Amino acid sequence: MERLLDVVLGVWARISDRVRPWPDLPFVLALAAIIGLRVNLRRYNLIDTETAPPVLDDAAATGTPGFAEAPQQAFDNGTSAATPSDLPPGFRERAEAEGFRMPDGSFNDRDKPWMGMAGARFGRNVPLRYAYPERDEKLMTPSPREVSNKLMARKELVPVPYLNVMAAAWIQFMVHDWLGHGKNNPAEKHIIPVPEDDVWPPDRPDGQPNGEMSVFHTTRAPTNPKDEGRPDPFTNVETHWWDGSQLYGSSWSRMDRMRRVGGNPDGERLDDGKFWVEDDGLLPVQQDHKLPGQELSGVNANWWIGLS
């Protein structure tokens, strides 16, 4: 019955949209059109790329070995994503019985607990037959550098009176919540053609030839035999959900660290469940980060003062 209703709503959305947009329809008909639009978008513009999704069950929520460790370990300074050993008494039993949503984004959906978890693959918005990338000369024609210079280079300041720099900070803050590709693959790189009348790198001495402009490839997801003949898959190192993971992280280890005194893994856990901030209201410094003075957060890569 539910599937039949989806079909009817989807057809109604397509028909009504050709005659009158949904804001111009009476309330009930407009609501049906909006729901139908969602049905159609899910059916035709949300393409699953998983061929061997992780097998999770209620026992996984207890932090038993193997749960959520594989993808996240590579992106969380090598620490385990399993539950900490000093959780309150009875937590594991309640998690197994009630199916808690986990910090890595698993168990948001009880039918497909792996959906949207950190380490799950990105979906596609077009059928997979259209998702094969261009390569080599076709990819580089025209040169991305030439396109950038002609279409994106700032020749003069164009003021935007209704925005300030905090808008850019907020957008980046939200992107940190939604996705991350992890570290690019240094073993593969694109070589970008640089026109002769260009200057690269910007500090190139006069009279010297242009240097090489290269960009590392995005790291591909591990594949299996079922992926043969399909476009390259990619994984999200953060949770796919709009869940504040840029604050709390996408693993047990990062979330637990955010809630300890000083942001230290061995610090005392706060009783109120909030994450630690210093007396001046600022985030703590992550002492073991490769960059001195880097503040601790759920996601603290691609950082600048606008995110502090």
Side-chain angles (χ1 to χ4, degrees):
M1 183 63 184
E2 182 179 354
R3 184 173 180 81
L4 177 60
L5 181 60
D6 282 349
V7 172
V8 172
L9 291 171
V11 171
W12 165 245
R14 288 196 296 271
I15 294 175
S16 64
D17 192 51
R18 296 172 183 173
V19 180
R20 294 174 64 184
W22 67 263
D24 295 339
L25 295 172
F27 175 76
V28 174
L29 296 179
L31 184 61
I34 292 175
I35 297 175
L37 287 172
R38 184 184 66 177
V39 169
N40 292 336
L41 287 172
R42 285 182 170 178
R43 180 173 298 168
Y44 302 111
N45 296 99
L46 190 59
I47 311 301
D48 188 11
T49 62
E50 294 282 3
T51 54
V55 179
L56 303 179
D57 52 28
D58 288 337
T62 65
T64 50
F67 169 61
E69 290 181 0
Q72 188 62 31
Q73 279 189 345
F75 311 115
D76 197 27
N77 298 325
T79 55
S80 172
T83 51
S85 59
D86 57 344
L87 288 171
F91 178 88
R92 286 184 169 82
E93 290 75 11
R94 288 186 60 199
E96 182 173 354
E98 301 178 24
F100 288 170
R101 188 245 189 221
M102 295 289 108
D104 68 352
S106 60
F107 289 88
N108 241 40
D109 186 293
R110 297 297 300 154
D111 294 327
K112 295 183 179 180
W114 54 268
M115 185 172 65
M117 67 181 291
R121 291 180 178 182
F122 286 104
R124 295 280 187 175
N125 294 124
V126 297
L128 295 184
R129 63 181 179 275
Y130 299 123
Y132 293 92
E134 296 179 337
R135 300 187 186 277
D136 303 325
E137 183 177 356
K138 190 173 183 180
L139 177 63
M140 296 298 168
T141 306
S143 166
R145 175 66 173 177
E146 184 178 4
V147 172
S148 175
N149 285 340
K150 290 187 175 181
L151 299 183
M152 302 181 68
R154 177 182 289 178
K155 309 249 183 336
E156 60 183 27
L157 178 64
V158 179
V160 181
Y162 48 84
L163 289 178
N164 59 32
V165 71
M166 292 307 297
W170 176 254
I171 293 171
Q172 187 176 7
F173 177 71
M174 298 313 302
V175 170
H176 280 184
D177 182 8
W178 300 328
L179 63 95
H181 286 89
K183 294 182 178 180
N184 290 338
N185 182 5
E188 297 181 283
K189 59 184 179 181
H190 297 290
I191 306 300
I192 312 299
V194 180
E196 292 184 4
D197 58 351
D198 200 350
V199 176
W200 186 262
D203 57 354
R204 186 201 74 184
D206 292 339
Q208 296 296 316
N210 284 321
E212 177 183 274
M213 178 183 287
S214 60
V215 178
F216 291 154
H217 284 206
T218 302
T219 301
R220 302 180 185 88
T223 57
N224 62 77
K226 294 181 180 179
D227 289 310
E228 186 174 354
R230 295 164 64 96
D232 292 334
F234 301 90
T235 54
N236 191 353
V237 302
E238 310 298 337
T239 68
H240 296 240
W241 308 106
W242 200 333
D243 59 0
S245 56
Q246 78 274 48
L247 298 174
Y248 294 97
S250 295
S251 69
W252 269 109
S253 55
R254 180 51 64 103
M255 184 191 72
D256 189 60
R257 180 170 183 173
M258 295 299 300
R259 294 174 170 175
R260 291 182 180 270
V261 172
N264 296 317
D266 300 326
E268 181 181 357
R269 184 183 287 117
L270 303 179
D271 293 332
D272 56 12
K274 297 179 180 179
F275 63 75
W276 176 264
V277 293
E278 302 292 355
D279 293 338
D280 55 9
L282 299 179
L283 295 170
V285 172
Q286 183 177 340
Q287 299 296 340
D288 56 352
H289 198 277
K290 62 181 180 180
L291 298 177
Q294 173 63 58
E295 292 154 304
L296 175 68
S297 184
V299 176
N300 58 0
N302 302 319
W303 197 265
W304 64 297
I305 192 171
L307 297 174
S308 294

